Amino acid sequence: MSWMEKLYQAYDQGFSLDTARPWPISHFVKTAHIEVVIDSNGNIKNDRITLLSGEDSLTLIPATEASAGRAGAKIAPHPLCDELGYCASDFPDVIQARSDAYLNQLEEWCLSEYTHPKILAIFKYLEKRSLWQDLNQVIEFPVTFTNRRGLKTKISAEKVFVRWKVEEAGNPCSGTWEDNDLIDKWIEFDKFKNSEIGLCFITGEKVRLIENHSRFIRNSGDGAKLISSNDSSGYTYRGKFFNNTEACSIGFDVSQKAHNALRWLISRQGFRNGDKNQQVFISWAVSGKPIPKPWQDTLSLFDSDEFNFDEIEQNLESDQNPPLDHSIDLGQSFALKLKKYMSGYFAELNPTEQIIIMGIDSATPGRMSIIYYRELFSHDFLNHIKKWHEDFAWQQNYGWNSKAVKKIEFEGAPSPKDISEVAYGYRDDKGTLQIDDKLQKATVERLLPCIIDALPIPRDLVELTFRRACNRIGMKKRNYKGMSFEDDWEKTLGIACALFKGYYLRHPIELRTYQMTLEKNRTTRDYLYGRLLAIADYLEHQALHLADENRDTNAAKLMQRFADHPYSTWRSIELSLNPYQTRLRSKNLKLLGYLEKTLDEVYCLFNEEEFIDDKKLSGEFLLGFHCQRQSLWNKPEKSKKENPEATDETPSQGDSE
């Protein structure tokens, strides 16, 4: 149980922070619906009773081991804050056993040496048995509760959860959930009541053991547990041990702190994948220092402000002075940028510091499992992250954001989630991206070892994204202000190129390297065929643009067939270019001359036998297509001055679309 030991250590690191901390032991956060205010003499203030909503409703409450895991008809009251079905003795049709259990437990706390003025005042008020009557004078039941997302739900009166405020003279802290002294008093009382000790398998010490381990790990409605050994009727431990403590005995403090640390890490820096039962991944340094997140794409990685990357980027621009020039290898400037960014982490982290990466998921509502767990030294971890972003770096175009305000373009590696969406996602009739939860989870789980352990990427994902990128005409387009955008296809194309490039950089036998620019001297058949298709697509697009026609080019329509039968399909595409060449000849002769010259240059690089070979193209075809396309659409200013004939008539990609 190394994971529990590491989380136990992380708890102390989290508690040393000034920001949001993990929950204290013997407590958990609950959604409260009503806030009741009383004075130190136990008198309720009716004008101060408040309905809660949103973020303000989250309340830290004391809990027993039994109440933290109560479900169904089981009677297990919380010590202080609870539902009206427990704490309102005058509630109609109240289950008397619940009310008695709640009051008896609170009275026992009040009579102990760990009592507190606030709980004495609350108990004094509850002894009057008038809570339900007092609330009915102010609030109409059932209560309508608005959660943090703005969704409204009706809460039955019995299930309405009450929290307390006790206003004392000279004490500005009235909320029971804010009073650190009260919190400490409950922890000590809970420890006093449960003093049975045993051997903890984590620390090796004799301490108070835990029977029921925590739930609510991923969210407030999560009932799945990582450790559950209290099923004495099944086969959890029978046949080998007399009881569950022999099978697995863990200290109360260790379990509570480990689970609270896990919950805190998930809320603070976790990666959630899926819609319903979410798959969750977390990574952290045992020392508590910041680390890069393995599941981020390069754009998100560089957006981190841990080491003032804006300043690094400004220095890079002043040193290297690029705006983007697609006639040079962008991989060189990207590698320098990545190196400078990662150097901040290398400087902060000691080489021997440990980094933990952990993933959890649940197959059923009650059982959760650890699906991924790795411990690495910090510099090994950083080198693997750096290698992922270097090996799978390519020019990415994710299209316009949802409000069409900003176009998302960057050089770098895609995220595992984006890869899964490109491989298996689709658009429904409303244009919403849909993907099967199980497929997405399985894909992300398969990709993490490629990032964390620098393993080769699965070949089937490379092939699948390649086939999808070739199906250009099958991708849904987005219309905005009369213009048509191929956002989904652009994203698929960039990710497919990144995966193909990275796959062969890590291939154990057939190592290949590709530049992030047009390689005019590369003579491989697939790469050259990709260049031909890009030129044909651009030529026809420009002719259509001159005639104000907005439709797909023949190269786009036949792209999938071209990938399967390049030689025979190219003959059809080439013949279809004649009317568009005629149009350009009359309206833009310079551009036509440049494109025909480029076509001739590509033809001359072919081996004749390879050119007439009609076998399928590999993913290298997309690299040639993408680089040639980028070269045509994105000519830098410097090239325009040197060769105006080639570039004066070449509009930017954004303008043409």
Side-chain angles (χ1 to χ4, degrees):
M1 289 202 176
S2 177
W3 63 272
M4 183 166 275
E5 181 185 3
K6 299 303 180 186
L7 286 168
Y8 177 57
Q9 296 171 7
Y11 182 88
D12 294 330
Q13 294 291 342
F15 233 78
S16 65
L17 298 176
D18 293 330
T19 55
R21 298 176 174 181
W23 299 349
I25 62 172
S26 302
H27 289 74
F28 75 97
V29 170
K30 184 78 175 174
T31 300
H33 307 120
I34 294 178
E35 181 177 279
V36 176
V37 182
I38 62 175
D39 62 23
S40 58
N41 295 317
N43 300 312
I44 192 169
K45 299 188 175 183
N46 288 334
D47 59 330
R48 302 286 299 283
I49 295 174
T50 308
L51 281 175
L52 303 172
S53 62
E55 197 76 28
D56 188 46
S57 64
L58 299 180
T59 307
L60 182 71
I61 67 166
T64 66
E65 189 176 331
S67 73
R70 79 183 184 196
K74 180 181 178 181
I75 297 176
H78 297 308
L80 193 60
C81 305
D82 214 324
E83 299 169 354
L84 286 177
Y86 274 94
C87 59
S89 304
D90 58 332
F91 186 81
D93 301 322
V94 67
I95 299 174
Q96 198 61 42
R98 286 185 178 180
S99 176
D100 291 345
Y102 173 81
L103 285 174
N104 290 339
Q105 182 173 257
L106 184 58
E107 183 180 21
E108 187 180 1
W109 185 10
C110 290
L111 295 175
S112 73
E113 62 180 292
Y114 306 103
T115 188
H116 189 276
K118 281 188 172 66
I119 64 167
L120 289 172
I122 294 169
F123 182 70
K124 188 174 182 180
Y125 166 71
L126 290 174
E127 278 188 312
K128 300 175 184 177
R129 300 180 182 271
S130 61
L131 177 59
W132 172 249
Q133 180 183 350
D134 293 337
L135 292 178
N136 261 291
Q137 294 176 7
V138 182
I139 294 173
E140 184 178 346
F141 291 91
V143 168
T144 300
F145 175 73
T146 305
N147 66 14
R148 286 177 289 174
R149 296 181 180 178
L151 299 177
K152 296 184 177 182
T153 53
K154 292 280 188 181
I155 310 295
S156 64
E158 184 184 6
K159 294 294 183 182
V160 168
F161 200 93
V162 175
R163 75 181 187 188
W164 304 95
K165 270 189 174 182
V166 181
E167 295 184 341
E168 308 166 275
N171 186 357
C173 179
S174 57
T176 58
W177 63 95
E178 301 168 322
D179 193 322
N180 291 328
D181 185 44
L182 187 150
I183 291 170
D184 292 338
K185 292 291 186 183
W186 168 252
I187 293 172
E188 291 299 320
F189 177 66
D190 188 44
K191 184 178 180 181
F192 168 75
K193 278 196 66 180
N194 301 274
S195 55
E196 184 179 350
I197 64 171
L199 179 66
C200 174
F201 281 23
I202 305 300
T203 62
E205 300 173 353
K206 286 196 172 183
V207 293
R208 172 191 171 187
L209 299 181
I210 191 168
E211 179 81 14
N212 295 312
H213 297 269
S214 295
R215 53 179 182 164
F216 311 124
I217 293 174
R218 293 170 295 187
N219 53 64
S220 59
D222 186 12
K225 293 184 177 182
L226 277 169
I227 303 175
S228 181
S229 59
N230 59 344
D231 182 12
S232 56
S233 63
Y235 291 93
T236 307
Y237 55 81
R238 291 177 68 194
K240 190 171 184 180
F241 304 104
F242 286 109
N243 54 57
N244 59 350
T245 57
E246 289 186 0
C248 179
S249 60
I250 298 173
F252 179 85
D253 285 11
V254 171
S255 176
Q256 289 264 305
K257 288 183 177 181
H259 282 88
N260 287 350
L262 176 59
R263 193 180 292 111
W264 172 71
L265 286 167
I266 289 172
S267 64
R268 187 171 182 258
Q269 60 204 52
F271 165 64
R272 299 174 184 271
N273 185 33
D275 289 330
K276 296 180 181 178
N277 295 320
Q278 291 182 324
Q279 181 187 65
V280 178
F281 292 93
I282 55 171
S283 61
W284 76 95
V286 174
S287 64
K289 295 177 182 176
I291 60 172
K293 297 178 177 64
W295 40 80
Q296 288 182 321
D297 59 36
T298 307
L299 180 65
S300 301
L301 183 77
F302 284 174
D303 278 346
S304 170
D305 58 358
E306 297 286 357
F307 300 108
N308 194 11
F309 184 74
D310 288 338
E311 183 178 337
I312 295 174
E313 193 167 24
Q314 288 172 8
N315 293 337
L316 280 169
E317 289 181 356
S318 62
D319 293 342
Q320 305 297 318
N321 73 39
L324 290 181
D325 184 349
H326 291 268
S327 65
I328 63 172
D329 183 11
L330 295 175
Q332 295 177 7
S333 60
F334 169 76
L336 178 61
K337 184 183 292 187
L338 180 65
K339 181 181 178 182
K340 287 199 173 187
Y341 177 82
M342 295 299 292
S343 65
Y345 289 107
F346 278 105
E348 286 289 319
L349 293 166
N350 188 295
T352 58
E353 287 187 48
Q354 279 193 312
I355 306 294
I356 315 298
I357 305 96
M358 180 176 172
I360 58 174
D361 197 4
S362 59
T364 66
R367 295 289 185 271
M368 187 180 296
S369 64
I370 297 173
I371 58 174
Y372 186 82
Y373 184 79
R374 292 285 282 120
E375 295 181 12
L376 292 90
F377 287 122
S378 62
H379 283 206
D380 290 337
F381 170 77
L382 293 175
N383 280 321
H384 290 172
I385 297 293
K386 181 171 174 284
K387 184 172 176 59
W388 165 263
H389 288 275
E390 283 180 341
D391 290 354
F392 292 86
W394 197 257
Q395 303 156 52
Q396 304 295 337
N397 179 2
Y398 286 7
W400 296 85
N401 63 8
S402 58
K403 296 181 180 179
V405 174
K406 182 181 179 182
K407 198 170 188 179
I408 304 172
E409 293 181 291
F410 63 96
E411 288 76 41
S415 69
K417 190 172 183 179
D418 284 325
I419 294 172
S420 67
E421 289 174 354
V422 161
Y424 298 108
Y426 64 94
R427 297 280 179 185
D428 60 17
D429 294 337
K430 296 180 181 179
T432 305
L433 180 67
Q434 302 288 343
I435 181 171
D436 182 78
D437 260 14
K438 291 182 179 178
L439 277 174
Q440 187 171 40
K441 288 180 179 180
T443 305
V444 171
E445 193 175 339
R446 293 176 70 197
L447 285 169
L448 269 183
C450 305
I451 303 172
I452 307 301
D453 302 315
L455 297 178
I457 195 167
R459 175 69 189 223
D460 61 295
L461 286 177
V462 180
E463 291 294 331
L464 185 56
T465 53
F466 164 65
R467 299 306 302 175
R468 285 207 154 195
C470 292
N471 186 23
R472 181 178 181 180
I473 203 68
M475 298 278 185
K476 281 187 176 290
K477 298 179 178 63
R478 184 175 63 86
N479 295 313
Y480 180 71
K481 292 184 178 181
M483 296 183 290
S484 179
F485 297 93
E486 296 181 286
D487 291 351
D488 286 350
W489 177 72
E490 292 278 6
K491 182 176 181 178
T492 303
L493 177 62
I495 290 178
C497 291
L499 297 191
F500 184 86
K501 169 180 174 279
Y503 175 81
Y504 279 101
L505 275 175
R506 297 187 178 186
H507 200 285
I509 301 172
E510 192 180 352
L511 177 66
R512 301 186 202 168
T513 58
Y514 296 96
Q515 295 180 2
M516 286 169 57
T517 188
L518 180 61
E519 300 179 60
K520 294 185 177 181
N521 295 324
R522 187 177 285 275
T523 59
T524 52
R525 166 183 172 270
D526 294 3
Y527 195 87
L528 293 176
Y529 262 124
R531 291 186 63 186
L532 285 181
L533 187 68
I535 297 167
D537 179 60
Y538 182 80
L539 189 153
E540 184 174 347
H541 192 288
Q542 293 308 306
L544 292 172
H545 180 68
L546 289 172
D548 291 328
E549 294 183 43
N550 185 18
R551 61 177 175 81
D552 294 314
T553 65
N554 287 295
K557 294 175 184 176
L558 297 174
M559 189 172 183
Q560 191 166 32
R561 181 183 163 195
F562 184 84
D564 292 333
H565 308 286
Y567 176 67
S568 57
T569 308
W570 173 248
R571 180 62 178 162
S572 300
I573 293 173
E574 188 178 32
L575 290 173
S576 71
L577 290 177
N578 288 334
Y580 305 109
Q581 288 173 308
T582 302
R583 185 180 297 173
L584 285 178
R585 189 171 288 111
S586 63
K587 295 188 176 182
N588 197 331
L589 184 59
K590 289 183 178 180
L591 176 60
L592 177 64
Y594 170 69
L595 294 175
E596 289 180 339
K597 179 184 176 183
T598 307
L599 272 174
D600 291 340
E601 289 173 353
V602 177
Y603 278 133
C604 292
L605 293 173
F606 268 104
N607 177 293
E608 184 178 353
E609 292 181 359
E610 290 183 342
F611 181 67
I612 62 175
D613 187 354
D614 211 26
K615 69 179 182 182
K616 289 183 179 180
L617 298 172
S618 70
E620 187 180 36
F621 141 72
L622 289 181
L623 269 63
F625 174 83
H626 196 207
C627 288
Q628 181 66 70
R629 188 168 178 265
Q630 291 284 77
S631 177
L632 290 170
W633 283 109
N634 300 287
K635 287 292 182 180
E637 293 299 322
K638 182 180 178 182
S639 297
K640 284 186 179 182
K641 293 176 183 177
E642 293 176 354
N643 189 5
E645 189 172 295
T647 59
D648 278 349
E649 305 299 332
T650 306
S652 69
Q653 188 171 356
D655 292 340
S656 67
E657 291 186 355

